[in-house]
Amino acid sequence: MDLATTTASRSDSAATRLRTEILNGTSAPGALLAESAVAKRLGVSRVPVREALFALEREGLVEFSATGRAFVKDLTPQDFEELFVLRLALEPLASRLAAPALKVDTSKLVKNLAATRRARSVQEVTLLDLEFHQIILEASGNRRLLKLWCSLRGELELWLGRLHRSHQLQTKETLQETVEAHQEILESFNTQTPAACERLMREHILGWREWLPLFS
């Protein structure tokens, strides 16, 4: 294995470790990710850590200060509002476009919902939640719509993870509510018109709007 390949492998590994820590809340929003400290903790040099941080910045999980220091992205109420507006624009439309294909075959959604029922952590629920919605985007057949949604995936995962953890602390019902909402959406693809599927997805996304004050 040459040096470039080794560095890329170590960078990918570092990015995976840091991504997991950020998304599960181990690395708190706003936490400093000092290259030297992270490199020592992960047992690698600073070069793969630096590349990992740049990769996570592109995903929307890390941000750099004017002086070049890296921090865990701390999503503000404005960030949440912007992500909410984009979800509201993209996902109901995707549901309408995906409805004909999903009326024929909802097996991927069924499999996802079964996995969600078996989930044992809030982080797992978050990942499966996003996967459920991505399946719908993929079924829409609109590659540009899917590409745009995927460009938001990192921040959406950061957002939903925080929402789910906060909701779990308050109600202990994150898993149950996610399963119930997704079951209703799944049934709509089996029985309802594309327009009805679009309306239901809009209502589903609008339901997140009431959670935004948690982060004001």
Side-chain angles (χ1 to χ4, degrees):
M1 184 179 294
D2 59 32
L3 179 59
T5 302
T6 300
T7 300
S9 177
R10 289 174 178 171
S11 175
D12 289 343
S13 178
T16 298
R17 286 276 301 277
L18 291 172
R19 184 185 298 108
T20 298
E21 292 173 359
I22 291 169
L23 294 175
N24 69 17
T26 301
S27 293
L32 173 65
L33 297 171
E35 281 184 19
S36 57
V38 173
K40 183 177 181 180
R41 179 165 60 82
L42 300 184
V44 297
S45 70
R46 294 178 62 168
V47 173
V49 170
R50 186 179 307 121
E51 293 180 353
L53 291 173
F54 286 144
L56 295 176
E57 181 192 29
R58 291 191 293 271
E59 293 179 22
L61 302 180
V62 166
E63 57 189 353
F64 286 88
S65 69
T67 58
R69 296 202 297 173
F71 296 85
V72 176
K73 185 72 175 288
D74 186 7
L75 293 176
T76 66
Q78 180 62 31
D79 290 320
F80 286 119
E81 186 68 47
E82 290 178 6
L83 287 169
F84 163 75
V85 168
L86 287 170
R87 288 195 79 187
L88 192 60
L90 299 175
E91 296 196 35
L93 171 59
S95 294
R96 176 165 59 81
L97 295 175
L102 291 175
K103 196 176 188 68
V104 174
D105 181 10
T106 55
S107 59
K108 289 184 179 179
L109 293 179
V110 171
K111 183 178 179 180
N112 173 278
L113 194 56
T116 304
R117 288 193 175 95
R118 297 192 300 269
R120 291 294 178 265
S121 69
V122 174
Q123 184 183 9
E124 191 177 359
V125 172
T126 299
L127 289 171
L128 288 164
D129 189 340
L130 281 171
E131 180 186 276
F132 183 91
H133 288 269
Q134 185 164 333
I135 290 168
I136 296 171
L137 266 293
E138 290 169 351
S140 75
N142 189 310
R143 291 176 298 170
R144 290 175 175 80
L145 191 63
L146 173 62
K147 183 177 180 179
L148 182 55
W149 187 89
C150 286
S151 73
L152 307 172
R153 170 87 192 226
E155 287 187 304
L156 286 176
E157 192 169 340
L158 192 60
W159 175 41
L160 284 176
R162 289 186 65 188
L163 288 174
H164 283 163
R165 286 193 296 272
S166 297
H167 191 61
Q168 181 71 7
L169 286 172
Q170 294 182 34
T171 69
K172 309 296 184 185
E173 295 178 351
T174 297
L175 173 61
Q176 179 183 345
E177 292 184 7
T178 301
V179 167
E180 290 176 354
H182 287 183
Q183 180 66 49
E184 185 178 8
I185 292 170
L186 171 60
E187 291 174 358
S188 76
F189 286 122
N190 285 325
T191 63
Q192 302 297 317
T193 65
C197 294
E198 180 179 19
R199 286 195 299 272
L200 181 58
M201 182 59 74
R202 183 174 298 279
E203 292 171 4
H204 179 63
I205 302 300
L206 284 170
W208 292 110
R209 183 63 181 81
E210 65 189 52
W211 294 33
L212 298 184
L214 292 172
F215 302 93
S216 300

